[in-house]
Every structure is written in structure tokens, then in C-alpha cells.
Amino acid sequence: QVQLVESGGGLVQAGGSLKLSCAASGRSFGSYNMAWFRQTPGKEREFLAVITWRGGNTYYADSVKGRFTISRDNAKNTVSLQMNSLNSEDTAVYYCAAENRLTYVPSSPSDYEYWGQGTQVTVSS
């Protein structure tokens, strides 16, 4: 079992940057694929980025590619999301997620077993 707690959300002006962090507790953090999603009211949870447990490979949604960077520190049991060039469309609740059962790179919310409680990011124009 893994418990996830996000932090770092807040209010930022358009064009600005923000870094989200997700602290994980539980065993074997290094064996989990870790991802970030976001959700706005009335919409489905949107995949943003994943970093694999094997090799630390990263994959991004087209909407954030080149602006967001996912990273992990297995020694500290944390995964981060550096977000640059933010715009109003990035306003959402951001979630980190973990899974360790799949053999392919997971990008659907249904792929993930563990979720944090979410952190609000608001971008003002």
C-alpha cells in the first residue's frame, strides 16, 4: 500500500511557474510507476505525465510537453512536477498517482491504484 500527499499548489500569474511535489509513504516506492493527472469540474481526469520505475523514462501529454517536467527521487520517496509557462487552461486540481502492476506505460486514470488527495493550481490571466 502507498499513501500519496501532494503539495505546492497555489495561485500563479499566467506565464509563471510552479513546482508540485508528491510525497509517498509505504514500501518499495522505487518499484512504482508515478504519474500526474489533473481535473477540472465536469471533465474527466486528464493524464499529464508519467515516470517509470524501470529506467525513469518519462512520457507526457501533448498539452504539456515542453512546459512540464516530471522527476522522481527514490531516496526521498518523492515525485515532482515542474510546470512552466502556465496559462489559464492549466487551472485545475492536480493529482499524483502510483501503480506497480502493469507491464506497459500507464496513462489512463483506471491504470492507477493509488491517488493523492489533490492540490489546487489556479493560473490568473
Side-chain angles (χ1 to χ4, degrees), residues 11-54:
L11 177 64
V12 62
Q13 289 189 334
S17 299
L18 208 58
K19 186 174 184 178
L20 305 182
S21 294
C22 175
S25 60
R27 298 189 298 175
S28 305
F29 172 79
S31 67
Y32 284 78
N33 292 316
M34 300 297 299
W36 286 95
F37 290 78
R38 66 187 178 190
Q39 190 169 24
T40 54
K43 292 190 176 181
E44 295 185 355
R45 199 161 289 191
E46 177 191 8
F47 167 79
L48 300 177
V50 59
I51 185 165
T52 63
W53 71 272
R54 186 190 293 272

Side-chain angles (χ1 to χ4, degrees), residues 47-124:
F47 167 79
L48 300 177
V50 59
I51 185 165
T52 63
W53 71 272
R54 186 190 293 272
N57 298 310
T58 57
Y59 302 88
Y60 297 92
D62 288 343
S63 59
V64 303
K65 195 174 298 182
R67 298 191 300 124
F68 291 10
T69 302
I70 189 172
S71 60
R72 68 189 298 161
D73 185 336
N74 289 340
K76 296 183 178 180
N77 281 14
T78 59
V79 61
S80 299
L81 187 68
Q82 176 67 46
M83 306 185 294
N84 299 327
S85 301
L86 289 163
N87 58 64
S88 58
E89 294 184 351
D90 296 315
T91 295
V93 178
Y94 284 68
Y95 298 89
C96 69
E99 74 83 33
N100 69 343
R101 302 167 296 172
L102 302 175
T103 59
Y104 56 88
V105 178
S107 62
S108 170
S110 61
D111 290 332
Y112 287 84
E113 185 174 6
Y114 303 105
W115 293 87
Q117 83 289 349
T119 185
Q120 176 71 45
V121 172
T122 303
V123 183
S124 63

